[in-house]
Amino acid sequence: MTDQQAYEVVVGLEVHVQLLTKSKLFCGDSTAFGAEPNTSISPITLAHPGTLPKMNKEAIGFAIKMGLACNATIAKENYFARKHYFYPDLPKGFQVSQHTTPICSGGYIPIQIMGGEKKIRLNRIHLEEDAGKSLHDADDNYTNIDLNRAGTPLIEIVSEPDIRNGEEAVAFLNVIRKWVRYLDISDGNMEEGSLRCDANISIRKRGESRLGTKVEVKNLNSIRFVKKAIESEASRLMALESKGEKIIQQTRSFDAGSGTTFAIRDKEDADDYRYFPEPDLTPFRLEEAYIDSFRQTLPRLQEERISQYISALQLPEYDARVITEEKKFSDYFDTVIASIQSKAGDRNISTAYKAAANWMLGPIRSWLNEQDKTVDELPLLPVRVADMVELVESGKLSFSIASTRLFDLVLENGSSSPESLAIKHNLLQQSDAFKIEPVVDELISQWPDKLAEYRKGKKGLLSLFVGEVMKRTRGKADPKVVNDILLRKLKEG
């Protein structure tokens, strides 16, 4: 049996991120997902003789944004090279890539692990074009080729071998997916191929610094599969090592059905790719002012927002982390908070921040989940959420009534103010003690046995009385007023 504690797993990831440009890296063909096969193509995509590529400036800007977010060094002098490797679904017969001269070098991705934060160092981020897609199961006798994706702009994010297990790989990929969405440079959708991953995996005896022979597991298209592939391959390598068998440097693939990897080919070395500068594309220089223009417009990423929500809004860390999982959800919350602040004047509104978070994580998130929609599809202006927060905070409405009854009314009548809808539908909270007291008196007269138990010391029954009064007033009675009246009445006699 393999002693897995005797070995350390060493993993480096190569993450391919499809950029959200409207056109391809070197021509104007559309990059939209879901088009009919071989319709988003042109003579340039098809590599017809005499056609010349032209660089996509937006893709360069997206690469710079990711590099800055990762604290990488941005190269001023840049050029593309031809990578000679047989791609059946790239008509040119080579790939145009920055592999040897990356636009971004160094930097890191911070991940959360048990015990705190760990920085996964980056080797580089470079630009390159994607290949097309080979469809092996569409025909019994032939492989079909769809060239729509050929030439789509990618950044490849290459980590140093700092990852030690599948959980760290998952955390690394989750941060990348979150960041590319925050930066609005990719949708990070692994199901549509917008984010794919290759894993370089090796093992070594604990305490050793020398890297072992690595294998590369290609084209992992889900975060769950990345974790499984790393764990499966690490176990296979340990079993080989423990039996004294030689580990061969290979390219492998992952079989999701069996949860194991299988060999595709022996791995080529970099020399086998025969890189040389792309003669049809001129080198390009990035001026510092141009780089700085992207630095000035970088959005706040998740960790920065979490810190701000905790320190400035006094939110619990859990609330802050969940709200910031998606940038648009966090942006919506920010607008709600800004609306609350604009209405506040000199009033203390510290409790309103937590109340707004409760709305986001309660009724709003529940509605989005039930309707399978994103927050930008929510038919509710942030200012209306701020209005409902104010109604509850001022005591005019209970949160229960606001979230279960008024919320739906506001969704259906977006042009009307929440307060006007609450008045129209008779939802405002009843705070008049003279109207609540008869309800309390009637209840006490009907529950003499409960009254006697309370007066004998069973104080927990107070909540039962409060609940029944709220039920009889259809939730409209102010709980604080109800509580005060009950405490006084239950004590009498």
Side-chain angles (χ1 to χ4, degrees):
M1 189 172 182
T2 305
D3 181 8
Q4 298 198 2
Q5 296 301 315
Y7 296 97
E8 180 178 51
V9 181
V10 179
V11 179
L13 296 182
E14 300 172 7
V15 185
H16 299 82
V17 180
Q18 181 176 317
L19 300 178
L20 269 180
T21 57
K22 292 181 179 178
S23 57
K24 294 183 180 180
L25 189 54
F26 301 120
C27 69
D29 296 346
S30 171
T31 59
F33 178 79
E36 286 295 311
N38 297 310
T39 56
S40 300
I41 56 175
S42 67
I44 296 178
T45 293
L46 297 176
H48 286 186
T51 58
L52 290 172
K54 184 177 181 181
M55 216 161 350
N56 187 325
K57 184 178 180 181
E58 187 177 35
I60 295 170
F62 285 176
I64 292 171
K65 287 172 74 173
M66 189 63 187
L68 292 172
C70 298
N71 293 288
T73 300
I74 311 299
K76 300 287 183 62
E77 306 292 339
N78 288 267
Y79 69 88
F80 284 91
R82 290 185 180 183
K83 176 183 178 182
H84 288 83
Y85 178 78
F86 176 66
Y87 291 95
D89 36 25
L90 256 183
K92 289 192 294 283
F94 58 82
Q95 181 189 42
V96 179
S97 171
Q98 276 194 315
H99 183 277
T100 52
T101 55
I103 190 169
C104 309
S105 300
Y108 61 89
I109 296 284
I111 65 171
Q112 297 297 319
I113 60 172
M114 287 186 65
E117 182 181 273
K118 177 178 179 178
K119 293 179 178 178
I120 305 298
R121 296 171 301 146
L122 300 183
N123 178 279
R124 65 182 183 275
I125 301 172
H126 65 264
L127 281 159
E128 64 185 23
E129 63 180 339
D130 204 351
K133 190 173 183 180
S134 297
L135 306 169
H136 303 295
D137 53 0
D139 191 287
D140 291 338
N141 301 311
Y142 301 99
T143 292
N144 293 339
I145 303 292
D146 179 8
L147 295 174
N148 281 350
R149 200 173 66 186
T152 295
L154 304 175
I155 53 172
E156 182 173 344
I157 303 168
V158 182
S159 84
E160 296 289 359
D162 290 349
I163 295 167
R164 293 293 172 264
N165 53 53
E167 286 81 6
E168 290 186 6
V170 167
F172 180 79
L173 289 170
N174 277 330
V175 172
I176 288 179
R177 184 169 61 179
K178 205 168 295 174
W179 282 16
V180 298
R181 290 172 174 173
Y182 261 85
L183 296 169
D184 203 23
I185 64 174
S186 175
D187 60 24
N189 191 330
M190 296 191 84
E191 291 75 18
E192 296 180 1
S194 302
L195 193 150
R196 306 190 298 278
C197 179
D198 301 336
N200 294 298
I201 307 163
S202 64
I203 60 168
R204 63 188 175 193
K205 288 287 182 69
R206 291 195 181 277
E208 288 186 356
S209 57
R210 178 184 58 84
L211 293 174
T213 301
K214 70 177 181 180
V215 295
E216 182 180 21
V217 183
K218 298 284 285 185
N219 296 325
L220 297 163
N221 60 4
S222 89
I223 291 178
R224 183 166 55 92
F225 290 167
V226 172
K227 181 176 185 293
K228 286 188 173 182
I230 289 171
E231 292 171 348
S232 170
E233 187 57 22
S235 294
R236 187 186 74 88
L237 295 177
M238 289 177 198
L240 289 174
E241 184 79 13
S242 65
K243 290 187 288 188
E245 297 183 22
K246 183 179 180 182
I247 294 174
I248 301 171
Q249 184 173 333
Q250 287 179 322
T251 298
R252 299 178 70 86
S253 188
F254 178 69
D255 182 344
S258 66
T260 60
T261 67
F262 58 92
I264 301 175
R265 59 182 176 269
D266 289 348
K267 178 64 178 172
E268 299 88 349
D269 291 320
D271 291 343
D272 295 328
Y273 295 136
R274 302 184 305 283
Y275 287 104
F276 67 78
E278 167 58 70
D280 292 335
L281 287 167
T282 57
F284 60 96
R285 176 178 173 78
L286 300 175
E287 300 293 339
E288 185 60 40
Y290 182 69
I291 298 171
D292 196 54
S293 69
F294 292 100
R295 184 178 289 109
Q296 299 302 321
T297 57
L298 284 181
R300 294 171 301 138
L301 297 175
Q302 185 185 25
E303 291 303 321
E304 183 181 349
R305 294 186 187 218
I306 289 171
S307 297
Q308 181 193 8
Y309 289 173
I310 293 172
S311 60
L313 306 183
Q314 301 298 301
L315 293 187
E317 182 180 351
Y318 173 83
D319 290 15
R321 192 163 291 280
V322 176
I323 289 172
T324 56
E325 278 297 308
E326 296 179 15
K327 178 178 180 291
K328 289 181 180 179
F329 197 78
S330 179
D331 287 344
Y332 188 98
F333 176 70
D334 287 345
T335 309
V336 172
I337 295 300
S339 296
I340 290 172
Q341 292 171 337
S342 70
K343 296 169 181 287
D346 296 329
R347 289 185 292 112
N348 183 351
I349 55 170
S350 58
T351 59
Y353 300 143
K354 173 58 178 167
N358 290 343
W359 273 97
M360 295 297 296
L361 300 178
I364 290 175
R365 193 165 70 153
S366 294
W367 186 89
L368 294 176
N369 290 338
E370 289 166 6
Q371 302 296 322
D372 193 25
K373 293 184 181 295
T374 58
V375 74
D376 47 357
E377 297 173 292
L378 178 68
L380 180 66
L381 294 172
V383 67
R384 298 304 185 205
V385 179
D387 290 340
M388 288 189 284
V389 169
E390 186 176 14
L391 283 174
V392 175
E393 288 291 291
S394 64
K396 293 180 180 179
L397 205 63
S398 70
F399 179 74
S400 174
I401 292 293
S403 60
T404 59
R405 299 177 64 185
L406 181 61
F407 180 63
D408 289 337
L409 292 169
V410 176
L411 285 172
E412 295 167 5
N413 304 273
S415 59
S416 302
S417 74
E419 185 165 11
S420 68
L421 289 169
I423 292 171
K424 180 181 177 180
H425 292 271
N426 194 26
L427 299 179
L428 289 183
Q429 191 159 263
Q430 179 58 258
S431 300
D432 188 342
F434 289 106
K435 292 184 178 180
I436 296 173
E437 197 160 338
V439 179
V440 173
D441 289 338
E442 182 183 21
L443 176 62
I444 289 175
S445 68
Q446 292 174 353
W447 285 7
D449 52 339
K450 301 294 183 188
L451 174 63
E453 288 180 47
Y454 178 85
R455 287 176 175 170
K456 286 179 181 178
K458 203 170 181 180
K459 303 303 181 185
L461 287 172
L462 176 64
S463 61
L464 179 66
F465 280 99
V466 172
E468 184 63 22
V469 173
M470 296 303 295
K471 181 179 176 182
R472 295 186 182 197
T473 58
R474 299 179 64 196
K476 287 167 46 179
D478 186 333
K480 183 178 183 306
V481 176
V482 171
N483 212 62
D484 290 344
I485 294 173
L486 277 167
L487 284 172
R488 175 166 53 83
K489 293 277 187 180
L490 293 175
K491 233 198 261 182
E492 290 174 358

Short mmCIF file of all heavy atoms in Angstrom, two decimals, residues 45 51 108 171 183 271 275 285 292 313 332-333 359 381 395 442 457:
data_model
loop_
_atom_site.label_atom_id
_atom_site.label_comp_id
_atom_site.label_asym_id
_atom_site.label_seq_id
_atom_site.Cartn_x
_atom_site.Cartn_y
_atom_site.Cartn_z
N THR A 45 -9.52 33.63 -40.84
CA THR A 45 -9.65 32.47 -39.96
C THR A 45 -9.25 31.19 -40.70
O THR A 45 -8.62 30.30 -40.12
CB THR A 45 -11.09 32.35 -39.43
OG1 THR A 45 -11.37 33.44 -38.56
CG2 THR A 45 -11.28 31.05 -38.65
N THR A 51 -3.82 36.48 -47.06
CA THR A 51 -4.51 37.19 -45.98
C THR A 51 -3.54 37.56 -44.89
O THR A 51 -2.56 36.85 -44.63
CB THR A 51 -5.64 36.33 -45.39
OG1 THR A 51 -5.09 35.10 -44.90
CG2 THR A 51 -6.70 36.04 -46.42
N TYR A 108 1.03 37.22 -8.55
CA TYR A 108 0.52 36.12 -7.73
C TYR A 108 -1.01 36.19 -7.66
O TYR A 108 -1.63 37.22 -7.94
CB TYR A 108 1.10 36.16 -6.32
CG TYR A 108 0.75 37.41 -5.55
CD1 TYR A 108 -0.42 37.49 -4.78
CD2 TYR A 108 1.58 38.54 -5.58
CE1 TYR A 108 -0.75 38.65 -4.09
CE2 TYR A 108 1.26 39.70 -4.89
CZ TYR A 108 0.10 39.74 -4.15
OH TYR A 108 -0.25 40.89 -3.46
N ALA A 171 -9.34 26.45 -5.15
CA ALA A 171 -9.34 27.82 -4.65
C ALA A 171 -8.70 28.77 -5.66
O ALA A 171 -9.19 29.89 -5.90
CB ALA A 171 -8.59 27.89 -3.32
N LEU A 183 -13.28 42.03 -13.44
CA LEU A 183 -12.59 42.89 -14.40
C LEU A 183 -13.37 43.03 -15.70
O LEU A 183 -13.00 43.86 -16.55
CB LEU A 183 -11.19 42.33 -14.69
CG LEU A 183 -10.23 42.29 -13.50
CD1 LEU A 183 -8.99 41.47 -13.85
CD2 LEU A 183 -9.81 43.71 -13.09
N ASP A 271 11.47 22.94 -27.42
CA ASP A 271 12.19 23.01 -28.70
C ASP A 271 11.38 22.41 -29.84
O ASP A 271 11.52 22.79 -30.99
CB ASP A 271 13.53 22.27 -28.60
CG ASP A 271 14.50 23.00 -27.67
OD1 ASP A 271 14.25 24.18 -27.38
OD2 ASP A 271 15.48 22.37 -27.24
N TYR A 275 9.54 27.80 -32.17
CA TYR A 275 9.05 29.18 -32.14
C TYR A 275 9.92 30.09 -33.00
O TYR A 275 11.14 29.98 -33.01
CB TYR A 275 9.11 29.72 -30.70
CG TYR A 275 8.07 29.15 -29.76
CD1 TYR A 275 8.42 28.20 -28.82
CD2 TYR A 275 6.76 29.60 -29.80
CE1 TYR A 275 7.48 27.68 -27.94
CE2 TYR A 275 5.81 29.09 -28.93
CZ TYR A 275 6.18 28.14 -28.00
OH TYR A 275 5.24 27.64 -27.14
N ARG A 285 4.81 48.35 -28.75
CA ARG A 285 5.34 48.89 -27.49
C ARG A 285 4.20 49.49 -26.68
O ARG A 285 3.35 50.21 -27.21
CB ARG A 285 6.40 49.96 -27.77
CG ARG A 285 6.91 50.64 -26.50
CD ARG A 285 8.00 51.66 -26.76
NE ARG A 285 8.31 52.39 -25.54
CZ ARG A 285 9.06 51.93 -24.55
NH1 ARG A 285 9.61 50.72 -24.66
NH2 ARG A 285 9.29 52.65 -23.48
N ASP A 292 -0.93 52.80 -17.29
CA ASP A 292 -1.49 53.47 -16.12
C ASP A 292 -2.98 53.78 -16.30
O ASP A 292 -3.72 53.82 -15.32
CB ASP A 292 -0.72 54.76 -15.84
CG ASP A 292 -0.99 55.30 -14.44
OD1 ASP A 292 -0.82 54.53 -13.47
OD2 ASP A 292 -1.40 56.46 -14.32
N LEU A 313 -19.12 49.42 7.09
CA LEU A 313 -20.54 49.15 7.27
C LEU A 313 -20.82 48.24 8.46
O LEU A 313 -21.99 47.99 8.77
CB LEU A 313 -21.11 48.51 6.00
CG LEU A 313 -20.90 49.26 4.68
CD1 LEU A 313 -21.59 48.53 3.54
CD2 LEU A 313 -21.42 50.70 4.79
N TYR A 332 -24.94 46.25 -6.94
CA TYR A 332 -26.33 46.55 -6.61
C TYR A 332 -26.45 46.94 -5.13
O TYR A 332 -27.10 47.94 -4.78
CB TYR A 332 -27.21 45.34 -6.93
CG TYR A 332 -28.70 45.58 -6.80
CD1 TYR A 332 -29.48 45.86 -7.92
CD2 TYR A 332 -29.34 45.50 -5.56
CE1 TYR A 332 -30.85 46.06 -7.82
CE2 TYR A 332 -30.70 45.71 -5.44
CZ TYR A 332 -31.46 45.98 -6.57
OH TYR A 332 -32.81 46.19 -6.45
N PHE A 333 -25.80 46.15 -4.28
CA PHE A 333 -25.80 46.45 -2.84
C PHE A 333 -25.20 47.83 -2.58
O PHE A 333 -25.73 48.60 -1.76
CB PHE A 333 -25.02 45.37 -2.10
CG PHE A 333 -24.87 45.62 -0.62
CD1 PHE A 333 -25.96 45.52 0.24
CD2 PHE A 333 -23.63 45.95 -0.08
CE1 PHE A 333 -25.81 45.74 1.61
CE2 PHE A 333 -23.48 46.18 1.27
CZ PHE A 333 -24.58 46.08 2.12
N TRP A 359 -31.78 42.11 3.39
CA TRP A 359 -32.64 42.13 2.21
C TRP A 359 -31.94 41.44 1.03
O TRP A 359 -32.55 40.66 0.29
CB TRP A 359 -33.00 43.57 1.83
CG TRP A 359 -34.21 44.08 2.55
CD1 TRP A 359 -34.24 44.85 3.67
CD2 TRP A 359 -35.58 43.86 2.18
NE1 TRP A 359 -35.54 45.11 4.04
CE2 TRP A 359 -36.38 44.53 3.14
CE3 TRP A 359 -36.21 43.17 1.15
CZ2 TRP A 359 -37.78 44.52 3.09
CZ3 TRP A 359 -37.60 43.17 1.08
CH2 TRP A 359 -38.37 43.83 2.04
N LEU A 381 -35.61 48.61 -8.56
CA LEU A 381 -34.54 49.60 -8.45
C LEU A 381 -33.93 49.57 -7.05
O LEU A 381 -34.65 49.39 -6.06
CB LEU A 381 -35.08 51.00 -8.74
CG LEU A 381 -35.57 51.28 -10.16
CD1 LEU A 381 -36.24 52.64 -10.23
CD2 LEU A 381 -34.39 51.21 -11.13
N GLY A 395 -40.05 51.71 11.86
CA GLY A 395 -41.13 51.10 12.63
C GLY A 395 -42.48 51.15 11.94
O GLY A 395 -43.49 50.74 12.53
N GLU A 442 -58.48 40.54 25.11
CA GLU A 442 -59.30 39.42 24.65
C GLU A 442 -58.52 38.11 24.73
O GLU A 442 -59.04 37.08 25.19
CB GLU A 442 -59.75 39.67 23.21
CG GLU A 442 -60.65 38.56 22.66
CD GLU A 442 -61.02 38.79 21.20
OE1 GLU A 442 -60.30 39.54 20.51
OE2 GLU A 442 -62.03 38.20 20.76
N GLY A 457 -44.27 31.57 37.00
CA GLY A 457 -42.84 31.58 36.68
C GLY A 457 -42.46 31.06 35.30
O GLY A 457 -41.28 31.05 34.94
#
